[in-house]
Amino acid sequence: MIGQRFEYHAPASVEEAVGLLAAANGDANVIAGGTWVVPELTHGIRTPAHIIDLRHAELSGVSASDAGITIGATTTYSALLDSPLVGEWAALLHTMALGVTGGAQVRNQGTIGGSACYATPSSDAPAALVALDASLTLAEAGGTRDVRAETFFEGAFRSALKQGELLTEIVVPEPPSNVQFGYDKLKFCESSWPIATAACVLGLDGDGVVEFARLAVGGANTKPYVVDTSLLVGTPVTRDLADEVAERAREAADDPYTDVLADGAYRQQVSGVVAKRALLDAAT
Amino acid sequence: MAYAAVLRSPHAHARIKWIDTENAAKAPGVIATLTGEEARELAGPIPFFIDPAVFGGKTTEVRCLAVDKVVMAGQPVAAVVAESVNDAEAALAAITVDYEVLSPVLDADQAMSEDAPRVYDDWDDNVVITIPFVEGDVEAALDAADHVIEDEVSIHRLSTQPIEPRGNMAVWEQDGSLTFYGSIQNPHPLRLHLSQSLGIPERSIRVIAPNVGGGLGLKMHGHPEETLVCVLAKLAGRPVKWHEDRRETLLIGGIEQRHRFKIGFMNDGTIVALQNRIITNIGMLGASPGWGMSFLSALSFPLGYKIAATDVQVQAVTTNKGIWNATRGYGKQGTNVPMERMVDMAARHLGMDRIEIRRQNLIEAHEFPFTTNSGLHIDSGDYHGALDKLVELIDYEELKAEQERLRQEGRYLGIGIAYELTPEAADIPGTIVGGFDSCQVKMGPSGNVTVLTGVTSPGSGNDTGIVQIVADELGVPIDSIGIVQGDTEACPYGFGNYSGRSIVSGGNSAVLAARDVADKVQAGAALLLEAAQDDIELANGLASVKGAPEQAIPIAKVAETIYTLNFAIPGIPEPPLESTRVYKPDNIRHTPDEKGRIQPYPTYSFAVHGAVVEVDVETGRIEITRIGIVHDCGTMINPAFIEGQMAGAVVMGMGNAWTEELKYDEDGIPLSTRFKTYLMPRAGDVPEIELVHQVTPSPFTLLGTKGAGEAGVGGGMSVLTNAVDDALAPLGVTVTELPVSPPNVLAAINRARANGGAA
Amino acid sequence: MSDTLPLGVTLNGIERSVEVDPRRLLVEVVRDELGQPGTHIGCLTGDCGACTIELDGQIVKSCLLLAASANGCEITTIEGLAENGELTTIQQAFWDEYGFQCGFCLPGMLFAAKDLLEVNATPTDGEIRSAINGNLCRCTGYDTIVKSIAEAARRMAAA
Ligand SMILES: Cc1cc2nc3c(=O)[nH]c(=O)nc-3n(C[C@H](O)[C@H](O)[C@H](O)COP(=O)(O)OP(=O)(O)OC[C@H]3O[C@@H](n4cnc5c(N)ncnc54)[C@H](O)[C@@H]3O)c2cc1C
Ligand code: FES
Ligand code: FES
């Protein structure tokens, strides 16, 4: 049960929220879905003086823009699943959201922004955002900045988000029409965190020849990374090439993450497996 | 009402230099604080559920709050009572404890070395007890065997984790009496133990166990928080409630053990010798009955296998890991898993079919009752019949063909086979583990019936089962019967719930009590219908004359007559229509036989299991695709409940063997702190369970029932492990280490590949 | 820092307002301040699902929410399912098919089942299993729960 007393705020806008954040001078916690924060408050792992609840801050929703599709930071996994825009333009996010465990309850509560900001390696969204080359908009009292997903994630539980900043939206560039997505997630059983995830964005011509490929692996290293897939361009995806990509994914897992479920050696070994499977999934 | 929160040690092994609760006492909402030193003045030690000293082992004093020294991370060191749980929680942060951190000993083998730190300062070593079970000349039998396999099997630390955590509440009355409410399994024994630790008469305590959200052994008492909450309520001068947090529940484990064995067998598959040295890692020695599972893991060898010479020894070793409590299966999974591994290893060594080798070695139907090497007297069974049914149920031959086909495609299907024996409904002499239980049946003037039992129902459905038994005996509708359990003030003395005993002990005593009441009803009806008592039948709410159904009278009318016209009708039976009876099963023997062995278990349920898994050899991940079981627990009172118990137990067993593990870091700090790090099975992890019943009644119990509820845990663990082993046989893997979690499986594959594989 | 906040919710169709300590979780307030103990606490980490309730028409785990966050919301708890003491079709099916043993997981299972059957009237066993993957049961091994939900679907289709 929560012991530490705090002041509860429910700002009605981003401006109000960043104002509160600035005023709290670092001693505040933002709550989006709360699926991470609230248990950590309950167990005294976080003891902030201020809680800023984004529930009413109008940060949820999916819309189309020139840049692609814009996803509000507090958009839940079920809202992603319900969004025709996501289904059409960012089917990868649909597949990713479908695989989030914890039941419909957690998909109704957990937000994509919360997953990004928490930056745990045991999460689905980060690798998918990196594969999609999404950019994240961070706002603070003084203004906003955009950060590419690939640089946003800095390590286990570390991101580019600075004290006083709020993630407001995630922009996914509109993909070319010939794109195919692949996703693979390794978890031990239904109760398990994601152990390793791989997301693949593949552009294929009419004959199945690869025009471009982007493959990201999450959970293996302390942060998601992009696998070198240059060898695929100009040829169709074959099993041998997929094995070659798997090997590259494994080599790139040079800073493997260890937690109670799986150590670095295990994660490194399976990084290639999920990479290969996501690639083959995208190619078919 | 006030609320308690417990400050727990952040160290696995440390001396407490001082504790300062002054700031906590001043914190908002705080009513009282308590340290170990203070608690020692207010309460005595917590009595052991089963004291190792009774069996010649070492013992220690267990207190509700640590005094001087902590021996596990999470051990209670201080407590706070406040106006709200939130204030109580907040105040914990204001308590300062100065610890002198000692080096912990976490591994049981290490704990046995000369220079290992001592968990208890005044002990010579860390061994709680050593128990040997020897029968025949094992060395000679191993020498004479055609083949000997020497290997190890280890099982990790696991836990039952009912979905409802524990919870206790204590209410002191003006007159010094105490009412204790708790999510607990054994109200009457707890009353005795509370009276001993609190130093008040047993009669001044009432213990109430309301509906319990799953017990599974974990809610057998001896936990510090039982005495603690009572002391806190006394201090606070008002009722105090304590709700366990899941992180606290996850401090409680069990089972962790290693078997180092030699098994000798002949060319035809006959197993002739078993030598086994077992070491259990019981963590901190607590007052709850957990440590005693070590005993069972050894005693249950060699299950229902006829092995002429056996030499099994268990050593229970204390370490600075978390405390044990009973885990459903009570240590018998610690026999089942290694025994079933050994049988499979022998089969693989000989190239023999795994069903065949079991047929070759299991007791045959005509050999029952059968005395095992450790003195267990197995009541009845038909193991071969069950194996035949299993072969048919899972279509074993077709499965083997499919396995072959898939292997050609590079897919790794595994077929697991396991036999499981579950001695249940124990009575351990000199302890409050009782093999009998009591029941009171009362019929009122309306014909309504109240059943009061000494057994409790932790959601296992025994209450409904007992009602059904009474309804059958009295011939009254189920909805005219009420049942009261778990209240020491209302119910006759009983031992509560453990060891799959509720229907055996509770159900049979209900039969006896109901028969007494039925006798009186029949006598009354005989008088009113002018018939012979022997001719009166009770059914459908009517007392009627055999062969003349038109001569009938409602049972309610008979009851009313007995209560209201007792002076008017001479010869009518005397009220009340009540009886309290105890049922003692026949098959328990506490006088040691010529070899000094006792027979503490009246019934021996068994099952044979088949499971199919597919192993992803690139990740070590397992998919469980089929579970087939043939189960025999004698006469069944309510098959639906037994199926439910079995399904729950098997799935728990599979989780236990697969992804559930209580892990610690090198300092002994628990790492499995929530259900995302202690991974229990969910619906999507398991297929539908195919269950077939076989009924071989026990000749020693009234209705032929045997215990049900524990069977399935050991079987589920064994069959899953064997299935994974079978899947990976072509890669040269032999599974010797549990859990079969993906990292462990992948590591085993990597090792086998590095060794050049096999097969 | 004020000690309490006003909380107004519609609970099982009835408007309620209480003062709550901001530290209180929604599940605690539902059980204690609002007096509906049918919602259970099994873990407080979002893992077990015993605390599942319906919040503005969506199922949520109420241990993952501060009570203050639910201000102005509509809440349905297990106590609000049966109308006039008559069990819902899903509840009745759980009763008939032995869909629970200790019953601790039951409230969460019922909401997960309801949520599934509202969007999928004819679920396969696989779909049922996946719909209750957010809820732990330690007693049943899930078999009878799956059967109960399948039976509820059949009965709802027949009605
Ligand atoms: C049972 C269960 C199963 C789960 N299964 C999965 C799974 O399969 N895959 C998976 O990826 N995750 C899973 N999760 C983890 C997690 O719930 C989700 O990833 C979720 O998306 C986190 O979002 P949230 O909004 O709840 O985060 P919150 O808890 O609200 O916030 C998380 C962190 O981000 C910060 N934050 C949130 N939003 C912002 C913002 N807009 N600006 C700045 N900081 C912000 C918070 O301060 C906090 O530090 C599971 C959780 C549970 C309880
Ligand atoms: S108590 Fe909320 S999910 Fe377990
Ligand atoms: S019935 Fe006990 S947890 Fe599900």
Side-chain angles (χ1 to χ4, degrees), chain B residues 221-245:
Chain B
H221 60 265
H223 301 282
E225 297 84 357
E226 291 135 9
T227 300
L228 180 61
V229 168
C230 299
V231 173
L232 291 173
K234 190 101 201 197
L235 267 185
R238 45 172 143 154
V240 168
K241 199 182 208 173
W242 170 76
H243 261 168
E244 184 177 48
D245 185 85

mmCIF file of all heavy atoms in Angstrom, chain B residues 221-245:
data_model
loop_
_atom_site.group_PDB
_atom_site.id
_atom_site.type_symbol
_atom_site.label_atom_id
_atom_site.label_comp_id
_atom_site.label_asym_id
_atom_site.label_seq_id
_atom_site.Cartn_x
_atom_site.Cartn_y
_atom_site.Cartn_z
ATOM 1 N N HIS B 221 -0.204 -22.984 9.630
ATOM 2 C CA HIS B 221 0.330 -21.889 10.440
ATOM 3 C C HIS B 221 1.725 -22.170 10.993
ATOM 4 O O HIS B 221 2.344 -23.174 10.679
ATOM 5 C CB HIS B 221 -0.643 -21.534 11.555
ATOM 6 C CG HIS B 221 -0.909 -22.676 12.476
ATOM 7 N ND1 HIS B 221 -1.987 -23.509 12.311
ATOM 8 C CD2 HIS B 221 -0.228 -23.131 13.536
ATOM 9 C CE1 HIS B 221 -1.954 -24.432 13.253
ATOM 10 N NE2 HIS B 221 -0.897 -24.227 14.004
ATOM 11 N N GLY B 222 2.158 -21.235 11.823
ATOM 12 C CA GLY B 222 3.534 -21.255 12.306
ATOM 13 C C GLY B 222 4.258 -20.027 11.788
ATOM 14 O O GLY B 222 5.415 -19.786 12.081
ATOM 15 N N HIS B 223 3.518 -19.212 11.019
ATOM 16 C CA HIS B 223 4.074 -17.957 10.514
ATOM 17 C C HIS B 223 4.169 -16.941 11.653
ATOM 18 O O HIS B 223 3.309 -16.917 12.533
ATOM 19 C CB HIS B 223 3.159 -17.378 9.431
ATOM 20 C CG HIS B 223 2.938 -18.286 8.261
ATOM 21 N ND1 HIS B 223 3.860 -18.443 7.268
ATOM 22 C CD2 HIS B 223 1.898 -19.079 7.920
ATOM 23 C CE1 HIS B 223 3.401 -19.285 6.359
ATOM 24 N NE2 HIS B 223 2.211 -19.690 6.724
ATOM 25 N N PRO B 224 5.161 -16.072 11.596
ATOM 26 C CA PRO B 224 5.305 -15.070 12.663
ATOM 27 C C PRO B 224 4.092 -14.158 12.795
ATOM 28 O O PRO B 224 3.766 -13.711 13.906
ATOM 29 C CB PRO B 224 6.522 -14.247 12.226
ATOM 30 C CG PRO B 224 7.082 -14.872 11.002
ATOM 31 C CD PRO B 224 6.206 -16.011 10.587
ATOM 32 N N GLU B 225 3.421 -13.879 11.681
ATOM 33 C CA GLU B 225 2.391 -12.839 11.713
ATOM 34 C C GLU B 225 1.146 -13.250 12.484
ATOM 35 O O GLU B 225 0.295 -12.413 12.762
ATOM 36 C CB GLU B 225 2.007 -12.428 10.284
ATOM 37 C CG GLU B 225 3.132 -11.797 9.475
ATOM 38 C CD GLU B 225 4.028 -12.841 8.803
ATOM 39 O OE1 GLU B 225 3.795 -14.053 9.022
ATOM 40 O OE2 GLU B 225 4.963 -12.455 8.075
ATOM 41 N N GLU B 226 1.019 -14.538 12.818
ATOM 42 C CA GLU B 226 -0.161 -14.948 13.599
ATOM 43 C C GLU B 226 -0.025 -14.431 15.032
ATOM 44 O O GLU B 226 -0.892 -13.693 15.520
ATOM 45 C CB GLU B 226 -0.301 -16.475 13.557
ATOM 46 C CG GLU B 226 -0.687 -16.952 12.154
ATOM 47 C CD GLU B 226 0.120 -18.152 11.684
ATOM 48 O OE1 GLU B 226 0.864 -18.731 12.492
ATOM 49 O OE2 GLU B 226 0.015 -18.501 10.494
ATOM 50 N N THR B 227 1.060 -14.805 15.678
ATOM 51 C CA THR B 227 1.289 -14.309 17.035
ATOM 52 C C THR B 227 1.430 -12.787 17.021
ATOM 53 O O THR B 227 0.884 -12.078 17.876
ATOM 54 C CB THR B 227 2.571 -14.955 17.603
ATOM 55 O OG1 THR B 227 2.373 -16.373 17.625
ATOM 56 C CG2 THR B 227 2.874 -14.460 19.000
ATOM 57 N N LEU B 228 2.138 -12.301 16.012
ATOM 58 C CA LEU B 228 2.425 -10.867 15.935
ATOM 59 C C LEU B 228 1.161 -10.019 15.951
ATOM 60 O O LEU B 228 1.068 -9.025 16.699
ATOM 61 C CB LEU B 228 3.234 -10.594 14.653
ATOM 62 C CG LEU B 228 3.631 -9.148 14.406
ATOM 63 C CD1 LEU B 228 4.525 -8.633 15.529
ATOM 64 C CD2 LEU B 228 4.350 -9.019 13.061
ATOM 65 N N VAL B 229 0.184 -10.383 15.135
ATOM 66 C CA VAL B 229 -1.029 -9.573 15.053
ATOM 67 C C VAL B 229 -1.756 -9.541 16.400
ATOM 68 O O VAL B 229 -2.296 -8.513 16.799
ATOM 69 C CB VAL B 229 -1.926 -10.091 13.903
ATOM 70 C CG1 VAL B 229 -3.305 -9.470 13.968
ATOM 71 C CG2 VAL B 229 -1.279 -9.788 12.561
ATOM 72 N N CYS B 230 -1.718 -10.666 17.111
ATOM 73 C CA CYS B 230 -2.367 -10.705 18.438
ATOM 74 C C CYS B 230 -1.655 -9.764 19.415
ATOM 75 O O CYS B 230 -2.307 -9.034 20.178
ATOM 76 C CB CYS B 230 -2.365 -12.122 18.996
ATOM 77 S SG CYS B 230 -3.254 -13.289 17.954
ATOM 78 N N VAL B 231 -0.341 -9.790 19.377
ATOM 79 C CA VAL B 231 0.423 -8.916 20.267
ATOM 80 C C VAL B 231 0.152 -7.454 19.914
ATOM 81 O O VAL B 231 -0.059 -6.605 20.796
ATOM 82 C CB VAL B 231 1.930 -9.228 20.170
ATOM 83 C CG1 VAL B 231 2.746 -8.219 20.954
ATOM 84 C CG2 VAL B 231 2.216 -10.645 20.664
ATOM 85 N N LEU B 232 0.117 -7.160 18.639
ATOM 86 C CA LEU B 232 -0.117 -5.779 18.203
ATOM 87 C C LEU B 232 -1.507 -5.300 18.610
ATOM 88 O O LEU B 232 -1.686 -4.149 19.019
ATOM 89 C CB LEU B 232 0.066 -5.660 16.685
ATOM 90 C CG LEU B 232 1.504 -5.826 16.166
ATOM 91 C CD1 LEU B 232 1.511 -5.861 14.636
ATOM 92 C CD2 LEU B 232 2.420 -4.707 16.680
ATOM 93 N N ALA B 233 -2.493 -6.174 18.510
ATOM 94 C CA ALA B 233 -3.861 -5.782 18.870
ATOM 95 C C ALA B 233 -3.941 -5.482 20.363
ATOM 96 O O ALA B 233 -4.650 -4.580 20.799
ATOM 97 C CB ALA B 233 -4.843 -6.881 18.483
ATOM 98 N N LYS B 234 -3.201 -6.260 21.132
ATOM 99 C CA LYS B 234 -3.173 -6.033 22.580
ATOM 100 C C LYS B 234 -2.565 -4.654 22.875
ATOM 101 O O LYS B 234 -3.114 -3.866 23.632
ATOM 102 C CB LYS B 234 -2.321 -7.130 23.221
ATOM 103 C CG LYS B 234 -2.375 -7.171 24.708
ATOM 104 C CD LYS B 234 -3.305 -8.282 25.135
ATOM 105 C CE LYS B 234 -3.799 -8.070 26.539
ATOM 106 N NZ LYS B 234 -4.355 -9.311 27.089
ATOM 107 N N LEU B 235 -1.435 -4.391 22.211
ATOM 108 C CA LEU B 235 -0.748 -3.108 22.398
ATOM 109 C C LEU B 235 -1.620 -1.936 21.981
ATOM 110 O O LEU B 235 -1.661 -0.897 22.655
ATOM 111 C CB LEU B 235 0.493 -3.061 21.507
ATOM 112 C CG LEU B 235 1.838 -3.504 22.041
ATOM 113 C CD1 LEU B 235 2.891 -3.222 20.965
ATOM 114 C CD2 LEU B 235 2.167 -2.770 23.323
ATOM 115 N N ALA B 236 -2.284 -2.100 20.841
ATOM 116 C CA ALA B 236 -3.046 -0.999 20.266
ATOM 117 C C ALA B 236 -4.352 -0.777 21.017
ATOM 118 O O ALA B 236 -4.956 0.281 20.934
ATOM 119 C CB ALA B 236 -3.339 -1.277 18.789
ATOM 120 N N GLY B 237 -4.791 -1.809 21.729
ATOM 121 C CA GLY B 237 -6.067 -1.688 22.433
ATOM 122 C C GLY B 237 -7.254 -1.680 21.495
ATOM 123 O O GLY B 237 -8.314 -1.170 21.822
ATOM 124 N N ARG B 238 -7.067 -2.217 20.311
ATOM 125 C CA ARG B 238 -8.207 -2.384 19.407
ATOM 126 C C ARG B 238 -7.907 -3.455 18.356
ATOM 127 O O ARG B 238 -6.768 -3.900 18.242
ATOM 128 C CB ARG B 238 -8.607 -1.077 18.742
ATOM 129 C CG ARG B 238 -7.506 -0.239 18.200
ATOM 130 C CD ARG B 238 -8.170 0.890 17.435
ATOM 131 N NE ARG B 238 -7.433 2.128 17.600
ATOM 132 C CZ ARG B 238 -7.476 3.088 16.683
ATOM 133 N NH1 ARG B 238 -8.218 2.944 15.603
ATOM 134 N NH2 ARG B 238 -6.787 4.187 16.863
ATOM 135 N N PRO B 239 -8.932 -3.843 17.620
ATOM 136 C CA PRO B 239 -8.717 -4.889 16.619
ATOM 137 C C PRO B 239 -7.649 -4.468 15.607
ATOM 138 O O PRO B 239 -7.596 -3.300 15.216
ATOM 139 C CB PRO B 239 -10.074 -5.017 15.931
ATOM 140 C CG PRO B 239 -11.057 -4.499 16.929
ATOM 141 C CD PRO B 239 -10.340 -3.426 17.695
ATOM 142 N N VAL B 240 -6.818 -5.403 15.250
ATOM 143 C CA VAL B 240 -5.759 -5.122 14.272
ATOM 144 C C VAL B 240 -5.823 -6.127 13.134
ATOM 145 O O VAL B 240 -6.015 -7.323 13.352
ATOM 146 C CB VAL B 240 -4.357 -5.162 14.931
ATOM 147 C CG1 VAL B 240 -3.251 -5.157 13.871
ATOM 148 C CG2 VAL B 240 -4.176 -3.972 15.869
ATOM 149 N N LYS B 241 -5.659 -5.584 11.944
ATOM 150 C CA LYS B 241 -5.731 -6.403 10.744
ATOM 151 C C LYS B 241 -4.396 -6.323 10.027
ATOM 152 O O LYS B 241 -3.782 -5.252 9.976
ATOM 153 C CB LYS B 241 -6.826 -5.791 9.860
ATOM 154 C CG LYS B 241 -7.382 -6.678 8.790
ATOM 155 C CD LYS B 241 -8.398 -5.826 8.024
ATOM 156 C CE LYS B 241 -9.484 -6.643 7.400
ATOM 157 N NZ LYS B 241 -10.534 -5.798 6.825
ATOM 158 N N TRP B 242 -3.983 -7.446 9.485
ATOM 159 C CA TRP B 242 -2.769 -7.462 8.653
ATOM 160 C C TRP B 242 -3.057 -8.227 7.386
ATOM 161 O O TRP B 242 -3.558 -9.350 7.429
ATOM 162 C CB TRP B 242 -1.604 -8.116 9.395
ATOM 163 C CG TRP B 242 -0.419 -8.361 8.513
ATOM 164 C CD1 TRP B 242 0.474 -7.445 8.074
ATOM 165 C CD2 TRP B 242 -0.007 -9.612 7.950
ATOM 166 N NE1 TRP B 242 1.420 -8.048 7.270
ATOM 167 C CE2 TRP B 242 1.152 -9.376 7.177
ATOM 168 C CE3 TRP B 242 -0.505 -10.922 8.013
ATOM 169 C CZ2 TRP B 242 1.819 -10.387 6.472
ATOM 170 C CZ3 TRP B 242 0.149 -11.933 7.320
ATOM 171 C CH2 TRP B 242 1.309 -11.659 6.569
ATOM 172 N N HIS B 243 -2.775 -7.581 6.269
ATOM 173 C CA HIS B 243 -2.936 -8.212 4.958
ATOM 174 C C HIS B 243 -1.566 -8.432 4.377
ATOM 175 O O HIS B 243 -0.777 -7.499 4.282
ATOM 176 C CB HIS B 243 -3.707 -7.277 4.019
ATOM 177 C CG HIS B 243 -5.139 -7.615 3.920
ATOM 178 N ND1 HIS B 243 -6.058 -6.791 3.339
ATOM 179 C CD2 HIS B 243 -5.827 -8.695 4.324
ATOM 180 C CE1 HIS B 243 -7.249 -7.345 3.402
ATOM 181 N NE2 HIS B 243 -7.133 -8.499 3.992
ATOM 182 N N GLU B 244 -1.322 -9.623 3.955
ATOM 183 C CA GLU B 244 -0.025 -9.911 3.372
ATOM 184 C C GLU B 244 0.070 -9.324 1.970
ATOM 185 O O GLU B 244 -0.887 -9.383 1.196
ATOM 186 C CB GLU B 244 0.152 -11.422 3.300
ATOM 187 C CG GLU B 244 1.510 -11.863 2.795
ATOM 188 C CD GLU B 244 1.625 -13.387 2.816
ATOM 189 O OE1 GLU B 244 0.709 -14.074 2.333
ATOM 190 O OE2 GLU B 244 2.633 -13.874 3.324
ATOM 191 N N ASP B 245 1.219 -8.778 1.642
ATOM 192 C CA ASP B 245 1.484 -8.331 0.287
ATOM 193 C C ASP B 245 2.098 -9.507 -0.478
ATOM 194 O O ASP B 245 2.757 -10.355 0.112
ATOM 195 C CB ASP B 245 2.487 -7.164 0.308
ATOM 196 C CG ASP B 245 2.702 -6.576 -1.078
ATOM 197 O OD1 ASP B 245 1.899 -5.723 -1.471
ATOM 198 O OD2 ASP B 245 3.650 -6.994 -1.774
#
